[in-house]
DNA sequence: TATTATATTGAACCATGGTTCAATTTGTCA
DNA sequence: TGACAAATTGAACCATGGTTCAATATAATA
């Protein structure tokens, strides 16, 4: 509060051990959140990272912040995958793959599943995720709608809802498959307009 | 442990105030569980019932037992409604109404929604519910399958999963309707076999 | 190597919420 | 109306789990 403590936005390079620990913590947190969901305990994460709890709080100020760091960390992969889906020749395939991917992700990462469902909890994290992924999902959906394959009334927010059933439970691959099958079938526009072959489909 | 404490299965009639309180508690518990879900606090229930916490534990030994009492309490209505659905002329209507009813119930009663989803938690309550409702749901489904309207691969356990998205969130009636629409559409068998009119449909 | 800012430690703190139980009140019945 | 079992009370107990912080250790730099 005295001297000339004008911190130029970037301080000093973090210490080597600190950098290592940060990585270890993120890995451990990811693992524990995946298995235990949002209920994962800070002590457990610390133990798995080979570090004391205090260190978690030194790096990330709070449990929620740690969670957010983990989530944001994995966000790029997700975004990249969705970007790729936009390049799919068949728009409907994009929708299929999108749901399949989210489903798989939910099965492997409990916290992920719990996050995309809940609305008001953990404002920050949820917001960050939705901000980042929402527009991409929207494009995927719109493309499939424009091609007449996806119900016109579906909106981005429907996707997490429809996938909620896959969270927090153990289910056989068969059950999971059937679930996706049903939802996808429900999302798809029913009768492809009886198009007597020979005429252009849309106009 | 001494004297002749052979309790003939029925003891003595419960006291009048106790009977009143039991009712008040059940009502309060129902209300709080509906609003706060399984996280409803015993103190809050007691307060709402105009009673001390200890009384809750006198009547029901534990929070889980209280929850179960509340659930079992409402089970008859549910069972009765489902029974009625079996009398529906059109089997598919039975499925529609079943989902609609469960959905509505989930929207109005948070604990209900949380219960039908979770698998290993609260073994007793969950078991009781499923024991009682499972067979009925199964009949409704089988009837619709026999009539060729419902996907043949659907099993009882799929229904809670498919409805999970409606739990723990606030959603507009429109969204809820769309959700049900999608799921029901996904459950329904696609093309009614193109049956050139004049021939019997099934054989 | 001496110095110091940066990191780490983990026991202790605290809030939450289910549960207990000795003291007290109250319904019931002779 | 006594007398006693049944019922109620609510403060205290306890476990859980996130968070703090003074003491300590360590990497970086001169």
């Amino acid at each position: 509060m005295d001297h000339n403590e004008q911190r130029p936005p970037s301080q000093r390079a973090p210490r080597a051990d600190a950098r290592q620990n940060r990585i270890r913590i993120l890995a451990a947190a990811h693992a524990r959140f995946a298995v235990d969901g949002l209920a994962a305990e800070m002590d457990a994460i610390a133990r798995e990272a080979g570090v004391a709890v205090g260190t978690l709080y030194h790096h990330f100020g709070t449990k929620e912040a740690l969670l957010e760091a983990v989530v944001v960390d994995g966000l790029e992969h997700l975004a990249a995958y969705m970007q790729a889906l936009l390049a799919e020749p068949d728009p409907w395939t994009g929708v299929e793959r999108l749901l399949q991917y989210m489903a798989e992700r939910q099965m492997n990462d409990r916290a992920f599943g719990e996050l995309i469902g809940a609305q008001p909890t953990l404002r920050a994290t949820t917001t960050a995720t939705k901000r980042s992924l929402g527009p991409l999902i929207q494009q995927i959906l719109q493309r499939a709608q424009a091609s007449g394959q996806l119900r016109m009334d579906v909106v981005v927010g429907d996707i997490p809802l429809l996938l909620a059933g896959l969270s927090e439970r153990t289910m056989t691959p068969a059950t999971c498959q059937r679930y996706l099958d049903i939802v996808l079938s429900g999302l798809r526009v029913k009768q492809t307009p009886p198009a007597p072959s020979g005429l252009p489909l849309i106009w």
Side-chain angles (χ1 to χ4, degrees), chain A:
Chain A
M1 232 165 254
D2 35 31
H3 313 123
N4 53 343
E5 310 242 298
Q6 305 289 357
R7 321 182 162 181
S10 63
Q11 204 79 332
R12 173 185 303 190
R15 250 164 55 174
D17 54 347
R19 226 175 313 120
Q20 280 298 334
N21 280 336
R22 167 174 277 265
I23 294 174
R24 279 209 195 85
I25 292 171
L26 277 174
H30 177 62
R32 296 264 39 98
F33 277 131
V35 174
D36 302 333
L38 304 183
E41 301 173 16
M42 295 296 269
D43 284 22
I45 296 174
R47 206 176 315 124
E48 184 153 335
V51 164
V53 238
T55 306
L56 301 204
Y57 287 90
H58 175 69
H59 284 272
F60 316 86
T62 186
K63 178 180 177 178
E64 184 174 341
L66 173 56
L67 172 64
E68 183 172 5
V70 170
V71 170
V72 171
D73 214 37
L75 229 51
E76 288 122 36
H77 297 122
L78 247 161
Y81 185 76
M82 292 189 184
Q83 200 73 50
L85 291 184
L86 280 171
E88 275 291 339
D90 178 20
W92 180 252
T93 306
V95 175
E96 277 182 344
R97 296 264 164 79
L98 169 62
L99 290 230
Q100 273 161 6
Y101 189 80
M102 301 264 293
E104 196 173 334
R105 191 70 195 273
Q106 262 174 291
M107 305 289 297
N108 295 335
D109 188 338
R110 201 167 144 198
F112 180 82
E114 293 175 20
L115 265 184
I116 62 170
Q119 268 168 342
T121 352
L122 298 164
R123 185 67 57 182
T125 310
T126 309
T127 302
T129 312
K130 287 188 176 152
R131 276 271 162 63
S132 159
L133 262 36
L136 280 172
I137 297 182
Q138 175 141 309
Q139 286 184 63
I140 294 175
L141 296 185
Q142 283 178 342
R143 215 164 68 102
Q145 284 171 333
S147 76
Q149 294 166 293
L150 176 66
R151 284 173 63 118
M152 290 305 290
D153 57 358
V154 174
V155 298
V156 179
D158 293 341
I159 304 304
L161 295 189
L162 288 166
L163 292 178
L166 298 170
S167 290
E168 291 182 68
R169 356 181 174 259
T170 38
M171 45 201 308
T172 74
T175 304
C176 179
Q177 189 53 55
R178 186 169 64 251
Y179 184 98
L180 274 180
D181 226 52
I182 292 171
V183 169
L184 280 168
S185 160
L187 285 172
R188 177 135 199 176
V189 163
K190 291 298 137 174
Q191 4 47 315
T192 320
S197 55
L199 292 184
L201 285 186
I202 307 300
W203 27 55

